[in-house]
Amino acid sequence: MLKIVVLISGGGSNLKALLEAADAGGEPFEVVAVGADGDAAGLAHATSRGIETFVTRPKDYDGRQAWGEAFLAEIERFSPDLVVSAGLMRILPEGVVSALSPNLINTHPALLPLYPGAHAVRDALAAGATETGVTVHVIDAGVDTGPVINQRSVQVLPNETEDELHERIKEVERPLLLQTVRDIASGAVTLGE
Ligand code: GRF
């Protein structure tokens, strides 16, 4: 059973998809804890299931590195086989990445290397893209630059708002992340090779 820690900042619909699959039984992975960088609404998906949570707030630490060390210490309490950043809206400091990668993956709402960063959906619309999508990738030392594991494209509809497009991307993102985690857990995908 692959032990996973999921990291979030927001509503956690990707986390919820992983948890609902695990609830149904027969999955080769288990979410052992959920961490956040603030009071993320999505933590409730874990607490309602009796799964441990932790919150490590950057404002409580003297700089990013110190925050990263504290966040890493919390993550490592659970000895995860895989750490999944699923809507963590913060760049992990170098010390966290070097300790966990390649067993550290992220889901990003664009077809990387296009539109990296925190505003991927907005940037795709601003560029007039007719196609965007979602990428699940290994986190490396850069921002959304690590090796791609899986991608799916999504067509941009005329006159679509950022929120509308992001919701449609997330409908594709949730099953893609779930399938990727399954494939890592089953050994069909090997990280770091
Ligand atoms: C996802 O689209 C993720 O790729 C992006 O933020 C969104 C998080 O959604 N970084 P949710 O919190 O899982 O609903």
Side-chain angles (χ1 to χ4, degrees):
M1 189 69 98
L2 193 87
K3 290 166 62 182
I4 299 176
V5 169
V6 182
L7 307 177
I8 64 169
S9 294
S13 71
N14 282 281
L15 164 68
K16 185 165 172 253
L18 295 176
L19 292 172
E20 285 178 347
D23 289 347
E27 294 293 345
F29 65 85
E30 177 190 9
V31 177
V32 293
V34 177
D37 57 346
D39 296 322
L43 290 170
H45 300 308
T47 50
S48 66
R49 290 170 168 83
I51 294 171
E52 283 206 59
T53 62
F54 55 91
V55 177
T56 311
R57 294 177 174 79
K59 68 174 173 51
D60 294 338
Y61 296 88
D62 191 12
R64 284 184 71 235
Q65 296 305 330
W67 170 73
E69 282 168 25
F71 204 36
L72 178 62
E74 291 281 25
I75 294 167
E76 287 186 329
R77 282 202 295 129
F78 300 94
S79 304
D81 302 305
L82 178 71
V83 177
V84 179
S85 163
L88 178 74
M89 298 307 287
R90 201 167 289 277
I91 296 163
L92 289 168
E94 200 263 334
V96 179
V97 175
S98 60
L100 300 175
S101 188
N103 299 308
L104 174 64
I105 67 171
N106 180 49
T107 177
H108 181 80
L111 291 176
L112 292 170
L114 291 175
Y115 316 119
H119 305 293
V121 181
R122 189 184 308 170
D123 293 347
L125 284 173
T130 55
E131 179 191 41
T132 184
V134 58
T135 302
V136 181
H137 66 97
V138 174
I139 297 180
D140 70 1
V143 177
D144 300 325
T145 54
V148 170
I149 307 168
N150 270 322
Q151 292 186 305
R152 291 286 181 280
S153 74
V154 174
Q155 297 305 308
V156 179
L157 302 178
N159 305 317
E160 206 168 18
T161 67
E162 180 181 347
D163 285 351
E164 288 166 348
L165 177 56
H166 199 169
E167 277 310 312
R168 287 198 311 109
I169 290 172
K170 283 166 65 166
E171 282 169 22
V172 174
E173 182 173 34
R174 291 186 285 261
L176 186 70
L177 179 64
L178 173 59
Q179 189 59 47
T180 304
V181 167
R182 262 184 202 144
D183 287 348
I184 294 168
S186 71
V189 164
T190 307
L191 301 176
E193 286 184 359

